[in-house]
Amino acid sequence: ALLNASGDDATLRRLVVELASRLRHRGPDWSSVWTDGRKNFLAHERLAIMDPRECGDQPMHNAEGTISWVVNGEIYNFEQLRDDHGLDCRTTSDSEVVGLLYEKYGSGFVSMLDGMFVFTIVDSRGEEPVYMAGRDHMGISPMYIGYGEDGSTWTASEMKCFQHVPGIKDYEIFPPGHFTLWRAGDKPE
């Protein structure tokens, strides 16, 4: 993901596509990039296991298109979460519950998840976007976070997405069992 970036949209999109292609080996079934037109990009390389149909492709979006997200890994208890919380899922993908639970409960939903996962969410419901990223408690699924010279934030499941990229001044491992919520212009903690 590239969040709160600056620059030309077409140039940023090409960069995100190129960096996502570095992860093609992780998900050879589908590749997609989404932008909200406000300098936020989500990319996903999909390995279709849980719902191999197109409707399970990522990035995913809520019904209004105001919340978008990508997930890597597996949510073991997604069926129980879907049923117990009355989520209106359009797919049988385990990834769908992440954004829908966020929509319903805010950041507190993370404690409900059982699995090995990382995720990034863009919430465009307000005047300024809100971002959220999280990683499973054991850190089974890898995640890295990077910081751009322009105040942008980057997330990826492999650090090679950040290497040799002009404009990324620093990157680090996103801690296991951690989630963060931040607004455009702020640095995630």
Side-chain angles (χ1 to χ4, degrees), residues 5-137:
S6 61
D8 173 67
D9 282 351
T11 302
L12 292 170
R13 184 179 180 84
R14 281 192 299 276
L15 176 61
V16 170
V17 167
E18 190 274 318
L19 296 178
S21 73
R22 296 180 184 184
L23 302 178
R24 185 89 11 98
H25 64 281
R26 296 181 68 90
D29 296 328
W30 177 255
S31 179
S32 181
V33 174
W34 165 88
T35 182
D36 63 357
R38 294 170 25 173
K39 312 293 185 196
N40 298 302
F41 297 83
L42 296 176
H44 194 263
E45 299 294 326
R46 183 170 186 223
L47 178 60
I49 296 174
M50 296 304 290
D51 187 346
R53 301 172 298 153
E54 273 186 34
C55 61
D57 291 343
Q58 295 187 47
M60 295 186 139
H61 315 279
N62 68 342
E64 294 79 25
T66 55
I67 301 172
S68 302
W69 65 95
V70 289
V71 179
N72 185 27
E74 184 177 353
I75 309 299
Y76 304 142
N77 62 334
F78 79 97
E79 291 173 325
Q80 179 185 352
L81 291 169
R82 179 189 63 213
D83 297 343
D84 289 355
H85 298 278
L87 302 178
D88 187 21
C89 293
R90 295 175 283 180
T91 75
T92 57
S93 171
D94 59 321
S95 299
E96 191 171 15
V97 301
V98 170
L100 298 179
L101 286 168
Y102 168 82
E103 180 177 33
K104 193 167 189 171
Y105 298 108
S107 62
F109 83 93
V110 177
S111 64
M112 300 176 194
L113 301 177
D114 179 21
M116 47 178 270
F117 57 85
V118 295
F119 64 83
T120 301
I121 297 171
V122 176
D123 181 348
S124 301
R125 291 179 291 180
E127 193 170 309
E128 289 293 323
V130 174
Y131 311 110
M132 184 173 182
R135 187 173 182 202
D136 67 83
H137 71 288

